[in-house]
Every structure is written in C-alpha cells, then in structure tokens.
Amino acid sequence: MQHTTPPVPLTLASRVDQVFPMLTPEQSARLAVHGQVRSVQRGEVLMEAGEQTPRFFVVTAGHLVIAQPAGVTEDPVAVLHPGQFTGEITMLSGRRGFVRIRAGEPGAVIEVERQHVLALVQTDSELSEILLRAFLLRRVELMAHGVSDVVLVGSRHSAGTLRIQEFLTRNGHPYSTIDLDRDADVQALLDRFQVTVDDVPVVICRGEVVLRNPTNGQLADCLGFNEAMDHTQVRDLVIVGAGPAGLSAAVYSASEGLDVLMLETHAPGGQAGSSSKIENYLGFPTGISGQELATRAYTQAQKFGAHLLIAQSAARLACDRKPYAIEIDHGPRVLARTIIIATGAAYRRLALTNLAQFEGVGVYYGATFVEAQVCGGEEVIVVGGGNSAGQAAVFLAQTARRVHILIRAGGLAASMSRYLIQRIAETPAIVLRPHTEITALEGGDHLERVRWRDNRTGTSETHAIRHVFAMTGAVPNTHWLQGCVALDAHGFIKTGADLSPEELAAARWPLARGPHLLETSLPGVFAVGDVRGGNIKRVASAVGEGSIAVAFVHQVLHE
Ligand SMILES: Cc1cc2nc3c(=O)[nH]c(=O)nc-3n(C[C@H](O)[C@H](O)[C@H](O)COP(=O)(O)OP(=O)(O)OC[C@H]3O[C@@H](n4cnc5c(N)ncnc54)[C@H](O)[C@@H]3O)c2cc1C
C-alpha cells in the first residue's frame, strides 16, 4: 500500500521562520498571564490526536515533539524548541486536532486554554498576527503533505472520489489518497472485504472509522466539523450560505459583538471558492484563488467568534413565529432574531438527457485545481460566454492540450470582460467556437465523446473529448424559502425599494417603516449577494452587501 502524499516533517518546509516563529520573552510573558506555567516529563502526552478542544502550549524549556500516531508508532511532524508554540487552525474552529503533542525531554511549558487564545487574538494585535499567520501556514503545510486523520481510497474515474476530494479540499481538511487505479494490492484488499464499485470511495476517518462512499454530511459528522455547537441558543443573527456575501456578513457581525451562526451546504467560499483565480477583487493586483480568499475570510470570521455548521443545509424557514426558526436538512433547527440569506445561485445545467450520468465524471461546474489535474494534457470543452467561462478556459489552457469554448452567440463581446477576451485571443491553446452547442454526450463510466452542432450550417461533429465544463449561468437557491419572502419573476429575492406597496401588503408587512436596504418582505430577514434580485454577480459586491446588511441588522435588533 502506497500513500501518494506521504507525510513529510514540517521542519523541512520552506518559510520555517513563519511556520514556527520564536516568541520573544515579552510575548511569552503576555501569554503566560492567560495560562499556567507547568513542568512536563519526558514522554508525557500533552494532547492526543483527536482531542476535541485543543489547548495551546508555548515551550519554555526542553522540547515538544509533534507527531501523527501511526498504529503503535508515530510519524514525526515537527519538533518545537523554547519560544515556539503549538496549534493550527483547529485552535480557532474548536475541531478535533489530528496530531499528538508529546514532551521529548523533561522541560516546561506555558499552557493556555482555547477560549483565552481566542480572546487574545482579538485584543493583542501583535500576538494575533504571529499566531494567525503560523496557524494558517501550518494548515497549508499539512494540506500539502497530506498530514491528516483522513485516508481517501478512491479512483480518479469515480464521481464520489472527486466529490469528497473537493469537499475536504474546500473545507481545508488535509487528507492522503490511495489511488485504486495505480495500486493493485489495495484493490485486491478491497475485493477481499467485499467493497464493491458502489462503495468507492472508501474513507478511513480519524484512523478508525471506515466509511463507504459517505455523503458529505456523514464525513463532516465523522470528522467532528459540527461538534461543540449549541443548537438551542437563540442567535442574534443566522446567516444562511457561506459564500463571499455570507462570510462578509459573518466577519462584520461577529466583530461588532453579535452572536452569529452560519449554515453552509458544502464549504466556505461558495461559487467564488471554486474560482481558480479572481483577478478583479480590490487589493489583490496579482489575483487570488477563490479557495485562498475563502480560507482567509473563514479564519477571520472564526477569529471574531462566528460559528459555522458545515454540510448543513437550510431546508425550511418557519417565518410565522418569532424568533424565526430555520430547519436544517437531517439536523436540528436553529433559532434567530434576524437572518441574512446569502445562498447564492446554482449553475444552470445543460439540456441533455443523459447529463446526470456524466456529472463529476466528465461534466464539471467549476474549474479548480482538482479538475485541472484530472484533465491535464487532454482536450476539454468550456460551455458559456460569461466571465466564469473565460476564466475557466484561461486556467485550463495551462494544463489542457486544447480548450474549445462553445457559445451560442456569434462572439464574446456582449457577455465577457475585455481583459479575458484579450487573454483568450492571446492563448493559442484556446479555440472559440461561436454558434455552436453540445447535442449529445456519450460514454460508459466516464464521458468519452461529445457531439456538437454548428447552428449556422447545421453540421454535427463528434469528438473524443472526455471533459466538459458547463459555465452557463445560474438559478437562485431560494426553493427552501417556500413563500416566506417575495421573489421576482426569476426566483431571486426582492429587497428594499424594489418591493412594491402591493407586494408588501400581500406579505402583510407589519411595521410603520418600509424595508431597509437589502431587507426582504419579512422584517429582520435580509438577502445579499447572488441570491438577491438585481445582484451584480461580483465577489466585491457580495462582500459589500454582506457588510451593509449587518448595519441594518443592528437597527432591527434595537427596534
Ligand atoms: C468559476 C467562477 C469564477 C468567478 N470569478 C469571479 C471573479 O473573478 N470576480 C468576481 O467578482 N466574481 C466572480 N465570480 C462570481 C462570484 O463568485 C459570485 O458573484 C459570488 O460568489 C457570489 O457570492 P454569494 O455569497 O452571494 O453566493 P455564492 O458564492 O454562490 O455562495 C452561496 C453559498 O450558499 C450555500 N447554500 C446554498 N443554499 C444553501 C442552503 N439551503 N443552506 C445552506 N447553505 C446554502 C452554497 O453552498 C454556497 O456556498 C465567479 C463565479 C464563478 C462560479
């Protein structure tokens, strides 16, 4: 059995000084005020892998060994010397840690409870910067080296494997993989345990639980993503959807002292999280990947105390009661004084009868690093003439042999930004095919051939292309609201001045004042980002709306 991403000691990592910074005696003393100094014995385990609420240690004498338990032995990850400290992102999220912390020799540490670390990163800006940078970089290193409590046994040709890879990657959870297509021994082992094709991928979670083709929710439960969350509390604000709009609302509301809970079906970042590079977001002249933006924003929201429930979808809003109640799919309900709806919109699907057969195994709705790996060196099709299609084409052209952009229109000028049109024109590997649409998909377990038609000539051609990226617009995620708020003709949520007196009367608007900017026809319930009627479909506008809505949430809470 061979791990494709073997653990590598983090001490070999680049940027060692930033990943394992050394605190000055003054900085250590400031931490000691919030904890206790204690001695440690050689071999003493200060924290075991899988512990729920991580504690934080600064070495003051001797050394600590950070290791990943591997049966009766352990794989070393790092060694910390005096002035260096433990911890990574789980310190903020409160999730289970996945390394063991052991004293390598007799010595001493400053031990600080998690809640004191959380308070400190909000009040001590110098320590906050050092700690948060180290926590983030450590997670990046753990991800890069697959140091984790998850082993994914799967195949590149299985949609389930791709789904779980994306779920873990976008939730920033490291994992190592075993590729069944390359490792015949593992396939033989799975056969012996009667693991069938439908059971793939198999996930070994926290080194002990074996899950066969789990749902994202089952995996989230196993990894303890949503543990330590009080569901009975009435929150000042519940945010539904953790895309840029929801994350922005979380950062602003939590930093302004509100008690905030976010619900998210998949992973922080939303559509933007699947963007390979966002080049027009203010302050990032060389661009930033959607994944990185999402990770930073989520860390920021956690730093201020916002909570996030992962793989938990809002299934229904009980709007005839106060506080409002949001029922969660396969979960408890949560109670809220105010709500921000930031559920965005879902991709429009291609009108092809056998589309579902190839979704995830040849048809994709996002072009991230994961998909780019899968179709490296091959020909691919991008369908659509908007900016997301343009970005996907430019990104995929870096690894694909040829990228065909299929559009029904005669050109891109009306639908795509000029800089992208120019990028496409300058990239020889990209071929633009106007007036063209896909008419058939063919294949078995995986997409193998695509037929397209030139609508001007009526001629059809079949090509041996195994990857299609559908980037053709979106429909709003408002089905769960079931009549609670007024929608426009396309199902997007109407807010503020867009609501007519007739619509407000029909909604029985009860207040003397009219709806605030971004407020829906239900008092105290706001809609922001791509789910809102008249939205701008930009990360910046989604982020801006999230912050504006919070200003009005305060007003509603004081009414
Ligand atoms: C590939 C791609 C590239 C893009 N590139 C750019 C760019 O370069 N620049 C730019 O400005 N914009 C870009 N955009 C547009 C930008 O990403 C969106 O406008 C932005 O993400 C909208 O943010 P949002 O938070 O409103 O919605 P979304 O990002 O769609 O997030 C909504 C979130 O809500 C969750 N959700 C949905 N329903 C539920 C439910 N019932 N319960 C719980 N959670 C739910 C979803 O899982 C999702 O995470 C791009 C979009 C795509 C797809």
Side-chain angles (χ1 to χ4, degrees):
M1 180 183 306
Q2 195 188 5
H3 287 243
T4 50
T5 45
V8 170
L10 294 189
T11 39
L12 296 181
S14 54
R15 303 184 288 191
V16 171
D17 291 349
Q18 289 176 335
V19 182
F20 298 108
M22 198 78 79
L23 297 178
T24 64
E26 292 75 29
Q27 289 164 342
S28 296
R30 293 218 294 280
L31 273 158
V33 173
H34 300 276
Q36 53 156 337
V37 180
R38 70 174 183 94
S39 57
V40 293
Q41 305 308 313
R42 180 190 170 88
E44 181 182 336
V45 174
L46 280 71
M47 229 177 63
E48 191 48 273
E51 262 191 52
Q52 179 71 52
T53 308
R55 281 159 295 138
F56 176 84
F57 301 95
V58 183
V59 186
T60 54
H63 71 263
L64 295 182
V65 177
I66 312 294
Q68 216 192 352
V72 287
T73 63
E74 55 182 36
D75 293 326
V77 174
V79 176
L80 303 181
H81 298 284
Q84 292 178 314
F85 55 86
T86 62
E88 56 94 47
I89 287 292
T90 47
M91 187 64 60
L92 300 179
S93 63
R95 291 181 192 164
R96 296 169 192 273
F98 32 74
V99 291
R100 173 184 292 156
I101 302 172
R102 180 172 56 74
E105 62 182 313
V109 295
I110 303 166
E111 177 174 340
V112 189
E113 293 295 328
R114 175 174 166 258
Q115 75 262 28
H116 296 309
V117 178
L118 291 182
L120 203 73
V121 293
Q122 291 188 39
T123 51
D124 188 321
S125 60
E126 187 192 27
L127 280 174
S128 170
E129 190 181 324
I130 298 169
L131 263 53
L132 289 184
R133 186 173 53 216
F135 291 171
L136 271 170
L137 291 175
R138 286 174 189 181
R139 178 53 68 101
V140 171
E141 293 292 337
L142 291 174
M143 297 277 292
H145 298 300
V147 177
S148 172
D149 51 359
V150 175
V151 181
L152 175 63
V153 187
S155 156
R156 283 183 302 155
H157 305 299
S158 112
T161 304
L162 198 61
R163 169 178 58 79
I164 287 179
Q165 274 183 313
E166 278 201 15
F167 181 71
L168 291 169
T169 305
R170 291 196 49 192
N171 277 295
H173 197 95
Y175 61 94
S176 56
T177 54
I178 297 172
D179 189 343
L180 285 173
D181 302 320
R182 294 189 187 169
D183 200 324
D185 290 350
V186 179
Q187 182 63 64
L189 187 80
L190 293 186
D191 291 346
R192 202 165 317 137
F193 284 93
Q194 281 147 20
V195 174
T196 65
V197 173
D198 292 341
D199 293 333
V200 172
V202 172
V203 180
I204 301 162
C205 167
R206 290 198 275 118
E208 45 194 36
V209 183
V210 178
L211 300 172
R212 296 172 181 219
N213 195 7
T215 62
N216 292 352
Q218 287 167 330
L219 191 53
D221 284 348
C222 181
L223 293 173
F225 279 5
N226 301 322
E227 283 173 15
M229 201 73 74
D230 181 359
H231 292 97
T232 58
Q233 210 173 315
V234 181
R235 309 277 174 169
D236 293 330
L237 170 64
V238 171
I239 300 166
V240 187
L247 285 169
S248 155
V251 167
Y252 283 92
S253 53
S255 68
E256 291 164 14
L258 299 183
D259 171 21
V260 190
L261 177 70
M262 265 187 295
L263 305 177
E264 169 52 50
T265 306
H266 299 296
Q271 288 190 62
S274 67
S275 169
S276 39
K277 200 164 197 183
I278 300 168
E279 295 199 53
N280 57 358
Y281 189 53
L282 187 74
F284 295 91
T286 54
I288 180 166
S289 78
Q291 174 73 33
E292 192 179 350
L293 189 65
T295 306
R296 284 166 180 246
Y298 180 35
T299 303
Q300 202 173 6
Q302 285 179 309
K303 164 183 150 174
F304 291 122
H307 298 274
L308 174 62
L309 289 175
I310 294 282
Q312 305 262 297
S313 292
R316 200 177 85 82
L317 172 61
C319 51
D320 52 356
R321 66 187 299 285
K322 289 276 185 73
Y324 297 122
I326 297 174
E327 288 170 17
I328 297 176
D329 215 6
H330 309 298
R333 63 179 196 174
V334 291
L335 304 173
R337 293 189 183 90
T338 62
I339 296 172
I340 292 182
I341 301 169
T343 44
Y347 279 113
R348 233 176 236 125
R349 301 164 87 225
L350 302 174
L352 296 164
T353 45
N354 58 349
L355 179 75
Q357 183 188 341
F358 298 115
E359 283 178 320
V361 281
V363 175
Y364 318 95
Y365 295 94
T368 68
F369 179 72
V370 174
E371 286 84 13
Q373 298 281 82
V374 172
C375 56
E378 297 189 44
E379 288 195 45
V380 306
I381 293 172
V382 172
V383 183
N387 280 350
S388 27
Q391 283 175 358
V394 170
F395 173 66
L396 292 166
Q398 294 169 16
T399 42
R401 186 152 51 86
R402 178 160 303 141
V403 180
H404 304 267
I405 301 180
L406 268 54
I407 53 169
R408 283 196 191 143
L412 296 171
S415 54
M416 194 180 286
S417 298
R418 255 217 338 246
Y419 83 92
L420 277 171
I421 297 178
Q422 195 174 339
R423 243 353 120 73
I424 288 168
E426 288 164 357
T427 309
I430 301 181
V431 183
L432 179 65
R433 298 192 178 278
H435 302 289
T436 305
E437 65 183 302
I438 295 182
T439 52
L441 303 173
E442 295 169 14
D445 292 344
H446 195 283
L447 178 66
E448 284 160 23
R449 285 171 303 282
V450 175
R451 189 166 345 128
W452 69 55
R453 184 182 57 218
D454 184 324
N455 288 335
R456 285 167 307 185
T457 60
T459 48
S460 290
E461 294 173 15
T462 300
H463 292 262
I465 295 181
R466 293 164 22 88
H467 307 283
V468 173
F469 293 82
M471 319 294 265
T472 50
V475 282
N477 291 319
T478 47
H479 51 278
W480 62 282
L481 291 164
Q482 294 158 3
C484 278
V485 298
L487 306 177
D488 70 14
H490 302 288
F492 290 85
I493 302 174
K494 293 188 92 168
T495 57
D498 288 349
L499 287 157
S500 66
E502 294 73 33
E503 283 166 326
L504 290 176
R508 297 208 184 91
W509 178 261
L511 305 176
R513 67 164 177 83
H516 290 298
L517 186 69
L518 305 176
E519 195 172 19
T520 67
S521 57
L522 196 60
V525 177
F526 296 80
V528 294
D530 280 9
V531 76
R532 191 181 60 76
N535 73 77
I536 307 297
K537 287 201 169 45
R538 292 274 185 282
V539 174
S541 54
V543 167
E545 289 181 16
S547 77
I548 294 168
V550 170
F552 292 111
V553 162
H554 285 291
Q555 291 192 22
V556 171
L557 289 172
H558 288 105
E559 266 173 1

